[in-house]
Amino acid sequence: MRILAFESSCDETSVAILDGDEIKANLISSQDFHTLYGGVVPELSSRAHIQRINPLLKNALEISGFTLQDIDIVAATAGPGLIGALMIGLIYAKGLAFSTGKKFIPVNHIEGHTFSGFLMEQKPRFPFLCLMVSGGHSLLFFVESTTKIQLLGTTIDDAVGEAFDKVAKLLGLGYPGGPSIQRYALSGKKGVYHFPKANVQGKYDFSFSGLKTSVLRQVQKLKTHNPLLAEEQKSDIAFAFQDSAVSALIDKTKLAIRDYHPASITLVGGVAANAALRKAFFELGNTFSIPSIIPRIEYCGDNAAMIAYRAKTLAEAGLKYGFDYEAFPSFTSQFLTA
Ligand code: KG4
Ligand code: ZN
């Protein structure tokens, strides 16, 4: 089975080709210019997808050595995401499938991330716990099979990636915040600042808005003495913030491991690129003697390889979707029970 997949839900345009179990191409074009505006500008994102999608498809076909005739299924992210951005990849893919007579599969973006651990050599084993952390989501799933996914917990306010981005902005570190917080935290000292973890009612739920507010208060306090933060202060704050965010995520995953006894655990989504979180997640697996699977960095952020893989699992499960299928944005609810 050969799948050509498109991802355009936010600020990455991506095209991938999956041949059986092998990713033959996974091209990702990131729209770095959003840094100028401190966040993603939806209209500019849509325009960039339009400019980039066709050359990316040509390159992906060239790299894989396939032509469109060799492709069996066309897939695209159908939601959730920025509607204007999504529409570019979705309509482009549908048009391509329709005009070449291929089957078309719409894929839920979150499900794409959830199964991205399967892109690694060591695959997750069912049932597995999946911690999905990105700019828009902080979700904990118990995944029993490719079509049985149970949502255990979610954030009651900000997503963890959003908190990284907002704290980076407070510290004047630019967008996206995750990578710069990680960089500053590297030289930060432990114990200079302490930001408490939130107490959340839902057993597996998260909250990151209080953490962000404590950072804000600390920054305001420091700025009354000197309006410009020293690099050392930024590093120490970044360290304390990252430490608190990581331990909140790990604590809830630990609770779920105790209750659900998964065969493996997986960490996915853009924030899964964070080195401190990856280390803590591997250690967590070791503590419980279960494999922890974390995708390579290129499969953590938004990418079409994970969309191709999810489409493959849906096709193998015999799920049939026509061109008119309304996949946006509640597609996940078909599989998820709270
Ligand atoms: O999955 P993703 O690429 O897009 C969404 O679907 O949201 O995730 C993007 C998020 C951003 O908030 C970004 O700051 C965060 O992932 N991120 C990181 C790191 N790299 C990206 N957060 C923490 N540490 C990183 N190294
Ligand atoms: Zn994503």
Side-chain angles (χ1 to χ4, degrees):
M1 193 192 297
R2 271 186 214 122
I3 301 181
L4 168 64
F6 296 87
E7 155 65 37
S8 70
S9 65
C10 193
D11 56 347
E12 259 92 29
T13 321
S14 180
V15 180
I17 296 173
L18 177 69
D19 180 23
D21 260 345
E22 207 183 323
I23 296 291
K24 293 287 187 183
N26 181 40
L27 299 183
I28 304 167
S29 172
S30 296
Q31 303 171 5
D32 300 327
F33 59 80
H34 293 291
T35 312
L36 291 171
Y37 309 96
V40 177
V41 183
E43 170 67 15
L44 297 182
S45 165
S46 308
R47 286 169 190 242
H49 287 309
I50 291 176
Q51 287 165 346
R52 296 175 187 199
I53 199 161
N54 207 38
L56 276 179
L57 169 63
K58 281 191 179 154
N59 283 347
L61 286 169
E62 213 170 284
I63 289 167
S64 70
F66 293 132
T67 65
L68 276 179
Q69 280 75 40
D70 302 319
I71 302 295
D72 303 305
I73 294 172
V74 179
T77 301
L82 299 171
I83 186 71
L86 280 168
M87 284 305 135
I88 310 303
L90 190 59
I91 289 170
Y92 185 95
K94 275 190 183 181
L96 194 67
F98 188 70
S99 60
T100 52
K102 318 274 182 208
K103 187 176 171 185
F104 174 73
I105 299 185
V107 173
N108 180 286
H109 182 80
I110 296 169
E111 292 176 13
H113 277 300
T114 303
F115 287 85
S116 57
F118 287 92
L119 297 169
M120 301 302 290
E121 240 153 63
Q122 190 192 5
K123 319 245 177 257
R125 274 188 291 136
F126 293 109
F128 64 87
L129 271 178
C130 175
L131 177 62
M132 202 233 123
V133 278
S134 73
H137 304 275
S138 310
L139 302 161
L140 192 57
F141 293 112
F142 185 56
V143 186
E144 291 176 70
S145 71
T146 50
T147 53
K148 199 159 178 217
I149 309 166
Q150 193 186 345
L151 178 63
L152 303 181
T154 181
T155 178
I156 59 164
D157 39 55
D158 290 355
V160 64
E162 195 181 347
F164 269 88
D165 294 337
K166 286 178 178 169
V167 166
K169 207 168 180 173
L170 279 175
L171 299 176
L173 306 183
Y175 179 87
S180 39
I181 293 273
Q182 172 172 322
R183 215 173 35 252
Y184 270 79
L186 268 181
S187 48
K189 292 182 295 303
K190 197 178 171 152
V192 180
Y193 300 104
H194 177 71
F195 302 120
K197 275 179 284 180
N199 262 331
V200 194
Q201 239 185 4
K203 189 169 184 187
Y204 310 112
D205 285 339
F206 306 100
S207 164
F208 293 102
S209 135
L211 172 58
K212 176 198 65 192
T213 310
S214 347
V215 177
L216 172 68
R217 295 271 145 72
Q218 185 62 62
V219 169
Q220 283 169 336
K221 210 162 111 191
L222 291 170
K223 282 189 173 175
T224 55
H225 302 294
N226 187 343
L228 280 182
L229 292 181
E231 291 297 287
E232 196 182 344
Q233 288 173 322
K234 290 183 189 175
S235 292
D236 293 340
I237 291 174
F239 179 91
F241 162 76
Q242 181 177 270
D243 194 47
S244 178
V246 166
S247 80
L249 293 168
I250 294 295
D251 284 358
K252 292 295 170 113
T253 313
K254 195 186 281 177
L255 281 181
I257 294 176
R258 291 206 173 108
D259 292 346
Y260 285 84
H261 309 290
S264 47
I265 53 174
T266 113
L267 171 69
V268 301
V271 182
N274 184 273
L277 180 58
R278 293 172 83 90
K279 183 166 175 275
F281 204 81
F282 279 126
E283 283 167 5
L284 183 64
N286 288 341
T287 307
F288 286 89
S289 302
I290 43 175
S292 25
I293 287 126
I294 311 177
R296 282 208 306 272
I297 306 287
E298 81 171 292
Y299 298 138
C300 286
D302 292 342
N303 67 89
M306 69 182 190
I307 302 304
Y309 185 83
R310 181 57 180 150
K312 175 179 135 91
T313 62
L314 292 171
E316 283 171 351
L319 299 176
K320 292 186 175 61
Y321 304 112
F323 281 98
D324 300 329
Y325 184 75
E326 281 296 328
F328 171 82
S330 57
F331 181 43
T332 314
S333 62
Q334 182 175 343
F335 298 125
L336 304 183
T337 49

